[in-house]
Amino acid sequence: MSSNLPLSDDDVHAYADGKLSGERRARLAAALERDPALAARVAAIRRQNVDLREAFDPWLAEPLPRELIAGAQRPRGRKPPRGRWAMPALASAATLIIGIGLGWMGRGEVLHLEGTPTTFPRQAALTHALYATDPNRPVEIWANEEDRLVRWLSKRLNFPLHAPNLHAMGYDLVGGRLVAGNEKPGALFMYENADKQRISLLVRKDNEHTSETAFRYALEDGVGVFYWIDDACGYALSGRVDKPQLLAIARVVYGELAAAEAAAPKP
Amino acid sequence: MPDSLPHPDLVAALPRLRRYARVLTGDLNRADDLVQDTLARAWEKRRLWQPGSDLRAWLFTIMHNVHVNQFAVRRREQSESSLDADDGPVAGWEIPVRATQSDRVELAEVFAQMGRLPVEQREVLILAAVEELRYEEIARVQCVPIGTVMSRLNRAREKLRRMCEVSASPLKVIK
C-alpha cells in the first residue's frame, strides 16, 4: 500500500485496531485532530472492541471438557497407548482427589509459617524448588506404589485424595510426599516428563467453601505457580515451565479433579 | 517434529478454539463437536503445520473450513427434508448469556446482537477485535481476498453498533 494514496476506510479500521504503522499512521492521527467526526468513529470502534472482548473473554476461563483435552491428545481412531495410563480417566484409580486439613484460610491470604509471612503460591514454589531438584529423594513414596501412596496420604491428612493423571500432557507421576504446612501437613504430588522436567501439585484444605475457581498466576523465584480454589481445597501447580504451558497443564489438573469428584461416592 | 503437533500448545489453544466454534455455530453442543472435528482434521493434516508459525491461526483456518463444509451439508439436508428451513440467512444463536457476561447491560446486549449478525461478519469481528489476528491472517482463515475481509469488518462494526444503539434506546418497545 503506497503512502501516497489517500486515507481510506480500511486505514480507519487498521488505526483503531492498532494495526496501522509508519507514515500512514501519522497521517491518520493528524486527520483525527482536524476531524472530530472521524475521531468519534475511531473511538466508537475501540469501545466496541473492548465490549466484544469483555463479552466473549469469560468463555476462556471455563473449564474444558475432558473429551476436548483427549481430542487434542491424539488422532481419532488411533489406539490409545497401552498400560495403566490408558485406562478411561474417569474410572481411573490413578485419579485421586486430594484434600488436607490445612490451616490455609483463603487465596492470597498470608500464612504465618515459622514467623515468616508466606502466601500459598509462594509456599508452593518453595516446596517445589526444594524437592523437585532433589535427585535421590524427591518423593517419599514412588509412583510404583501409587495405591499405597494415596492410602497413606489420605490417612495422614484424614481426607480422600486423588492424584490427577497428566499423561496426556506428557507428565507421569513420580510419587508424592507429606509436606509441612502452617498447622497441618499438605500433600505434594510430583510429575516428570521425558525431558526430566518436573512439576508438582500442592494440595491443601481450605476452611471456607467458595465457588470461585479462577486460575491465578504467580512467579516466585523463577518458579511459575498456577493456583486456584475448588470446593474448599486449594491447589497450586508449580514448575519452571512457561506460563501458557503451565496453564494448559493446570486446566487438565482441574478437569481431572472435577471428574474424580463427580465420580466419587457421596459421603 | 514434522509428524506431530505441539500438544501443550494445542491444549492451550483449546479455549480459543472453543470460543470461535461457539461464535460460528451459535450452539454450545455443536461448538464442542466442531472443536473435536477440527482437532481430528488438524491431526490428519499435521504434516502441513509449520513449526514456529501461529498454531492458533492455523487451527482457526481448519475450523473455518470444517464448519463451512458441515454447514453446506446441513443446508442441503434441510432444504430436502424440512418445510420450514427458511429462517433467513442467520443461524439461531442459542447460547445463554452467562452470569459473568451480564455484569454490564451493554455487554449482554453486544453478546445478544452478535448472534443476529451473519456468520461471516461475527467471524471477522471475533478474529479482528477479540483475537486480534492480522487482516491477512483473517483473509487466510476465511479464504477470501483481504478486501472482502475489510468490507465485512466495516459492515459488521456498523451493523453491530446500530443494533446496540437501537436496543439501548428508551423508545424501544419491550418484547
Side-chain angles (χ1 to χ4, degrees):
Chain A
M1 207 186 295
S2 160
S3 59
N4 294 326
L5 288 172
L7 293 168
S8 69
D9 243 20
D10 292 1
D11 292 314
V12 176
H13 287 283
Y15 183 86
D17 286 335
K19 287 165 181 158
L20 200 62
S21 59
E23 197 258 347
R24 292 187 79 76
R25 186 189 148 75
R27 275 172 58 199
L28 208 133
L32 291 181
E33 304 231 328
R34 294 190 303 270
D35 186 346
L38 189 63
R41 191 162 164 236
V42 167
I45 291 175
R46 288 188 168 160
R47 206 161 45 238
Q48 190 184 63
N49 282 359
V50 171
D51 282 352
L52 281 167
R53 269 173 239 141
E54 285 183 19
F56 288 90
D57 275 354
W59 277 345
L60 299 182
E62 284 182 29
L64 291 166
R66 312 172 52 77
E67 303 81 54
L68 291 190
I69 293 168
Q73 185 187 348
R74 58 171 184 270
R76 265 189 192 171
R78 198 210 276 177
K79 280 186 188 147
R82 297 173 58 167
R84 65 195 173 99
W85 295 109
M87 279 187 283
L90 229 148
S92 170
T95 306
L96 23 132
I97 294 180
I98 316 156
I100 318 110
L102 262 189
W104 180 45
M105 302 304 286
R107 68 211 132 81
E109 284 187 21
V110 171
L111 280 180
H112 295 278
L113 182 73
E114 294 174 337
T116 312
T118 309
T119 60
F120 181 49
R122 175 136 189 94
Q123 191 178 22
L126 293 173
T127 307
H128 175 80
L130 178 63
Y131 294 116
T133 53
D134 189 329
N136 298 320
R137 205 70 188 169
V139 296
E140 284 171 287
I141 296 185
W142 299 87
N144 60 356
E145 291 187 280
E146 189 178 319
D147 290 347
R148 189 164 82 83
L149 167 68
V150 171
R151 274 202 312 276
W152 172 65
L153 284 174
S154 298
K155 196 176 165 198
R156 287 299 305 267
L157 303 172
N158 193 24
F159 199 95
L161 300 181
H162 289 248
N165 179 343
L166 303 181
H167 188 70
M169 302 303 294
Y171 285 85
D172 286 332
L173 188 67
V174 176
R177 61 161 60 244
L178 209 56
V179 296
N182 190 17
E183 292 164 10
K184 296 170 188 171
L188 187 80
F189 286 88
M190 192 165 296
Y191 297 81
E192 191 177 77
N193 70 4
D195 298 327
K196 301 289 172 200
Q197 174 86 49
R198 282 174 178 168
I199 55 174
S200 63
L201 178 69
L202 178 66
V203 190
R204 323 176 62 175
K205 178 80 170 152
D206 192 5
N207 285 345
E208 288 171 32
H209 280 257
T210 168
S211 59
E212 187 179 351
T213 56
F215 290 120
R216 286 149 181 276
Y217 182 75
L219 189 64
E220 303 274 358
D221 298 336
V223 178
V225 185
F226 269 103
Y227 59 106
W228 68 96
I229 295 176
D230 192 18
D231 198 21
C233 276
Y235 300 89
L237 184 74
S238 311
R240 292 184 191 275
V241 179
D242 66 27
K243 191 176 167 184
Q245 197 180 344
L246 195 63
L247 175 61
I249 302 168
R251 287 185 189 283
V252 175
V253 171
Y254 179 88
E256 285 276 323
L257 292 170
E261 198 181 310
K266 294 275 177 279
Chain B
M1 282 180 289
D3 194 35
S4 188
L5 295 172
H7 180 251
D9 297 350
L10 211 54
V11 174
L14 281 178
R16 287 170 187 282
L17 270 184
R18 206 174 180 215
R19 170 165 74 184
Y20 184 45
R22 288 176 175 183
V23 169
L24 283 175
T25 62
D27 179 290
L28 297 179
N29 292 325
R30 288 221 324 266
D32 280 358
D33 289 346
L34 178 57
V35 174
Q36 285 288 15
D37 293 342
T38 302
L39 291 169
R41 193 94 184 100
W43 277 103
E44 279 168 29
K45 301 177 77 164
R46 62 188 175 273
R47 283 179 192 82
L48 300 178
W49 152 251
Q50 305 270 327
S53 66
D54 187 353
L55 183 68
R56 181 182 53 138
W58 186 69
L59 292 168
F60 284 161
T61 307
I62 293 175
M63 179 172 280
H64 171 90
N65 290 331
V66 170
H67 178 253
V68 165
N69 292 337
Q70 289 178 348
F71 194 68
V73 168
R74 203 162 44 243
R75 277 272 286 272
R76 223 163 26 243
E77 284 170 355
Q78 276 183 353
S79 64
E80 280 165 11
S81 65
S82 165
L83 293 174
D84 53 3
D86 189 24
D87 286 331
V90 181
W93 185 259
E94 286 155 26
I95 308 178
V97 179
R98 280 168 47 93
T100 46
Q101 283 164 334
S102 56
D103 288 350
R104 269 172 53 202
V105 178
E106 312 91 84
L107 293 190
E109 198 54 48
V110 166
F111 182 84
Q113 299 299 348
M114 268 286 273
R116 298 177 60 198
L117 292 177
V119 66
E120 65 276 359
Q121 291 185 19
R122 299 204 291 256
E123 215 182 333
V124 88
L125 270 180
I126 281 292
L127 295 177
V130 181
E131 294 291 349
E132 301 183 74
L133 254 52
R134 285 183 290 115
Y135 299 144
E136 302 84 52
E137 286 177 313
I138 300 172
R140 225 169 295 140
V141 168
Q142 292 196 321
C143 201
V144 293
I146 192 159
T148 308
V149 169
M150 297 315 294
S151 68
R152 278 176 182 171
L153 186 60
N154 193 29
R155 270 178 288 145
R157 280 178 162 154
E158 199 47 36
K159 198 163 168 186
L160 184 63
R161 189 183 59 77
R162 268 187 286 119
M163 289 193 304
C164 289
E165 261 174 20
V166 167
S167 71
S169 149
L171 296 175
K172 189 199 173 203
V173 178
I174 294 167
K175 278 183 271 187

